[in-house]
Amino acid sequence: MSYFSAFVAAVPTAKRDAYIAHAEEAWDLIFKPMGALGMVETWGDDVPEGEVTSFPMAVQCKPDETVVMSWVEWPDKATHDAANAAMMSPDFAPEMAEMPFDGKRVIFGGFAPILTRRA
């Protein structure tokens, strides 16, 4: 059964193109070679600030930043876990360009699907 890793980050709005290039590079150099089935990158369009909690609050989004949400589909949790362990290594993927956002403010996690519907 598929497994998903999800990410939410605050990206400087002026670095949108750099973020897209970084995501494409991550797909080509990391996710696809490690067995991912697909990746979706989304750029915040209607992401309101909350009173108690919200996406912008979760990633400490600044006025000149945009919230992005991304997910990667893996064939199973074991493939995800192996890739995740490799990615946490300090010397992993030295060929990757520097991230165009503050990686310390990214929230991420792994998710097992409980319901899928498609038109």
Side-chain angles (χ1 to χ4, degrees), residues 52-101:
V52 177
T53 189
S54 65
F55 283 116
M57 293 167 72
V59 294
Q60 300 172 359
C61 193
K62 298 174 183 170
D64 63 340
E65 294 177 326
T66 300
V67 173
V68 299
M69 182 174 62
S70 312
W71 60 93
V72 176
E73 182 178 3
W74 301 93
D76 50 48
K77 187 175 188 319
T79 304
H80 163 271
D81 289 351
N84 196 49
M87 287 185 277
M88 291 299 139
S89 169
D91 58 347
F92 180 74
E95 68 277 15
M96 282 288 298
E98 187 174 320
M99 293 188 299
F101 56 93

Side-chain angles (χ1 to χ4, degrees), residues 24-42:
E24 288 174 337
E25 185 178 42
W27 172 254
D28 291 338
L29 295 177
I30 298 173
F31 298 120
K32 186 177 180 185
M34 293 184 117
L37 301 175
M39 179 177 83
V40 175
E41 294 287 337
T42 63

